[in-house]
Amino acid sequence: MIHISSEDSRDIFTLETKSTGYVFQVTKYGHLEHIYYGSKLTHYDLDGLCRKRKVVIGSSIVYHPDDPLYCLDMFPLEWSGIGRGDYRFSPAEIKMPDGSFVSDFIYKNHKIHEGCVPSDKLPTAYKGESGIKTLEILLEDNCTQVELTLFYTVFEESNVISRRVILTNHNPSPLTIRRLMSMCVDLPNQNFRMITFDGGWIKETHRHDHPLRHGMVVNSSTTGGSSNRHNPGFLLASSDSSENQGDVYGFNLIYSGNHIGCAQLSDRQLVRICLGINPHCFEWTLRQGESFETPEAVMTYSASGFNGMSQNFHNFINHHIIRGEWKGKERPVLINNWEAHFFKFNQRKLLRLARRAKKLGVELFVLDDGWFGKRNNDHAGLGDYTVNRKKLPQGLNHFSKRLKKLGLAFGLWFEPEMVNPDSDLFRNHPEYAVTLPGRESTLGRNQLVLDLCNPKVRDYIVTSVSQILDDADISYVKWDMNRHISEAFSPCLENQGEFFHRYILGLYDILTRIFGPRPHILLESCSSGGNRFDLGLLCYSPQIWASDDTDPVERLNIVSGLSYLYPLSTIGAHVSEVPHQQTLRETPLSTRFNVSCFGCLGYEMDLKYLSPVEKKEIKEQIAFYKQHRKTFQYGTFSRIETGKANKVQWQCLYHDKSKAVTGFFQTQSIASEAPDLLRIIGLDPLRRYDIRTKPQRLFIKRFGGLVKHILPIELNPNGLILRLVNRHYALPDCVEHYRVGGDTLEKGIFLNDQFMGSYYNPQTRLLGDFGSNLYVIESEVQQ
Ligand code: DGJ
């Protein structure tokens, strides 16, 4: 809902979602003064909400001689220029047509649109439901005929407001943009912490809290992608906020390139938040009549802590970002052959893996890297998308038919944005690669980046990938991108300051051209894992491979971090072999599944090495996942505070609250630990619920020498007999059953005790290091 009212001839804009309100007004000199962002207000008094200006504050610049109290530095603003008395971080640094950097954008007019106002070249959120409106406000720098249009789109049901801007030059002289943010807002400080999600390869999206002090906290990427270093999404949380209470604001950007987000605390206790394209190496010239549009930024607020904020974003992404045939659709359980084979496979090997996978209940077979050109290791072949006949003698079409016969869908890996110097593509077209004449190129994973600023390169990619997609029955694509950009330069550009943004526009162009006409294909984006996990890519690919780290203990951190910003329906999560290829850690098969089922489940291992009892376990896991898939992928997700450093708990609640599934994970065992509490939130306190652990197995080898306590005879724990027994037999693990109702669920249920040097019995929780359980909570049938 957008209301516009007038007081003393000032326009006041009130944007309302289901539970939030956002208010700003036009000041007497035409600036946009931010007034309020928070819980929806039913009745309010504007004067009470506005900051007062009754005394002259020393060392400030007076905007107009008629009003010595009007100093821009003191205002909470929706936008600010440079050189007119506001010395905070400006959302725009523009070399204006008059040659100066001074800009002052003043209100001209506004209009309201039904629905969203989509962009021509950039992905934006879409309508998807009624009740969406966009407010367009036109500002002008009166001295230079430069216009700035601000867009605010209100997504009522998701409690999200999006913002973006378009800058237009009407002046006969050109202007140069050095920085143009998608949004700017000044919020009153609440002892905020800024929370960012940072990391690197195999350790993406770890949460970091930065208390705001005077000055600025910056969250930025300069790698050419949104990056695994700093995800574009970030939060501001009041000092007393926790998972379920307190004021939390969330911000994110629908963009896959270099981004910057910052929070700057001023001496007036205002926090300026800006978010947009990173000005790093950015420069864009506008001649008369030309415009530049920024990506769309999104913001949300919740008074119910981090979970409330996350649930707003989850809802928004599932309804306004994910589009096409896969929107809201359950995602298939897949097997990916990467960790099983790397580059060493042939059709026989692949089909054997496929047959085994099918028997366990897998629905989609994904052939990863190595199927094309001379791609037998990561030194060669990227760019040459012709099938390697030594590995697949009858080609991809034949292979897809064999899979179909087995009852499996076929998915294929590509890395279309890259080229190996050792490839036919590079030998024939060295000019397609991003290189800088006169400077030696630096490689990443032995490869160069293709110049997506070049339309010929984009055409090549579209044609070569499309041919493969149309040649075989392919219903899933994994789109990889395995290096950052270096020596950024394109001979197609006059101004190299455009490179990084043009690269991303090029990426969106090829994704649209390849997948627009093929909406049945489920696209999973990937960039060495989660190196480009962002809302821009989610507009094309409904799911993203979260990390090359498949160790579930590491994934607890990675997925927890992602879950603040993105729903589980977007997170690819696989069960892999132990010891894990990234950490050498040994984790139980149960935990590998218990973590991966919170997301889009896959298996990435060589199934031929599984024992019969492990196969049984996996078969049951997949059946369980399918039974609860909707709850895992689309239920209401919450992170539950356990009050213990060695525990993580996640919960998914089915939309009608009739059931929930919760995962309780122990990252490290502690001797004689005090009892654990299991808290379930969001269920109906008037109903009674039945809580049971998902049946899982405890493999005897986990006991090592301790087996002597449970065996009537002495056996060598590493000997043949026990190894054989271990292949065929396992013990029931943590069999628990509770029946509770009312407030007990939220207060917490004390779980059975954990193993403390005691004997085995099925009710004792034998978690040890990295143990876990899934609990299914179902409403009791009413008599
Ligand atoms: C990096 C990806 O993240 C992996 O899953 C795998 O696809 C490899 N690339 C293949 O080269």
Side-chain angles (χ1 to χ4, degrees), residues 660-710:
V661 189
T662 193
F664 193 87
F665 308 98
Q666 175 157 291
T667 51
Q668 199 187 10
S669 74
I670 293 178
S672 185
E673 193 182 342
D676 289 318
L677 264 186
L678 185 80
R679 293 176 55 226
I680 320 287
I681 59 174
L683 286 171
D684 180 353
L686 300 177
R687 291 198 222 169
R688 284 189 69 74
Y689 290 87
D690 200 59
I691 304 177
R692 286 174 196 275
T693 40
K694 171 199 165 291
Q696 61 185 34
R697 289 179 177 74
L698 187 64
F699 291 88
I700 294 172
K701 69 175 172 212
R702 197 156 158 81
F703 285 100
L706 289 179
V707 281
K708 62 179 175 252
H709 294 301
I710 51 171

Side-chain angles (χ1 to χ4, degrees), residues 510-548:
I510 56 181
L511 289 172
T512 307
R513 284 160 63 195
I514 295 173
F515 296 102
R518 298 172 184 84
H520 63 284
I521 293 181
L522 171 60
L523 179 61
E524 178 156 350
S525 162
C526 166
S527 180
S528 300
N531 191 21
R532 233 175 23 184
F533 203 120
D534 59 68
L535 294 177
L537 274 163
L538 285 175
C539 290
Y540 304 89
S541 75
Q543 57 191 61
I544 299 182
W545 179 226
S547 177
D548 278 352

Side-chain angles (χ1 to χ4, degrees), residues 501-518:
H501 185 54
R502 291 251 183 236
Y503 181 92
I504 294 297
L505 292 177
L507 171 65
Y508 295 147
D509 171 56
I510 56 181
L511 289 172
T512 307
R513 284 160 63 195
I514 295 173
F515 296 102
R518 298 172 184 84

Side-chain angles (χ1 to χ4, degrees), residues 194-208 210 218-234 256-261 278 280 443-444 482-486 527-534 546-547 558 561-562 565-566:
M194 178 170 173
I195 291 141
T196 57
F197 300 94
D198 324 274
W201 181 63
I202 66 174
K203 52 173 184 183
E204 296 87 344
T205 50
H206 285 228
R207 171 180 161 168
H208 295 110
H210 316 264
V218 177
N219 181 57
S220 101
S221 157
T222 56
T223 62
S226 50
S227 94
N228 48 23
R229 312 215 164 172
H230 306 285
N231 193 278
F234 64 91
S256 312
N258 292 341
H259 60 82
I260 192 166
N278 199 319
H280 169 82
L443 298 180
N482 283 307
R483 60 158 291 181
H484 303 315
I485 293 175
S486 57
S527 180
S528 300
N531 191 21
R532 233 175 23 184
F533 203 120
D534 59 68
S547 177
I558 296 166
L562 280 174
L565 303 165
Y566 306 98

Side-chain angles (χ1 to χ4, degrees), residues 741-764:
D743 296 333
T744 323
L745 292 159
E746 295 225 351
K747 296 287 165 216
I749 306 150
F750 277 116
L751 296 175
N752 289 357
D753 288 317
Q754 285 202 47
F755 177 82
M756 306 183 190
S758 41
Y759 289 113
Y760 164 81
N761 79 48
Q763 281 78 41
T764 304

